[in-house]
Amino acid sequence: MSDAAVRWAASRHPPNPDDKLVLWALADACNGRGDTAWPSVAALSDFSGLNRKMIINSLARLVRAGLIADTGDRVGKTGQVKVWRLALKASPIGDR
């Protein structure tokens, strides 16, 4: 976990209230550098209590808001888990 990422996520105002919880879950899963995370959709669902479809929709809104970006990297046993970069240093659209 990255304390800086969690503080950053807590201060954002994403498009939908569910998005803040997903953003917080991503921040909680950040690596030591503090800007990338690769939790599975199932892990995000476990953290947030939201269902799979809601998580996927929320991730898409967070991308459109400029709060996260898909790095293009994939991890996990099957190589299907996306690696996300949080816009910690940027001034994204979702930052009001």
Side-chain angles (χ1 to χ4, degrees), residues 9-88:
S11 70
R12 300 302 97 175
H13 302 284
N16 183 297
D18 292 340
D19 301 346
K20 186 157 191 163
L21 188 53
V22 173
L23 187 61
W24 180 22
L26 285 167
D28 189 64
C30 274
N31 67 5
R33 281 192 353 217
D35 65 349
T36 57
W38 48 91
S40 65
V41 170
L44 293 172
S45 182
D46 286 345
F47 183 97
S48 67
L50 301 172
N51 67 43
R52 184 179 191 284
K53 185 174 180 177
M54 292 173 78
I55 296 292
I56 292 167
N57 290 336
S58 182
L59 290 168
R61 284 190 299 268
L62 289 168
V63 168
R64 284 192 303 272
L67 294 167
I68 64 171
D70 182 350
T71 65
D73 294 332
R74 301 294 182 266
V75 297
K77 291 179 185 177
T78 62
Q80 295 179 6
V81 177
K82 292 181 180 180
V83 177
W84 298 100
R85 176 163 284 115
L86 280 67
L88 298 177

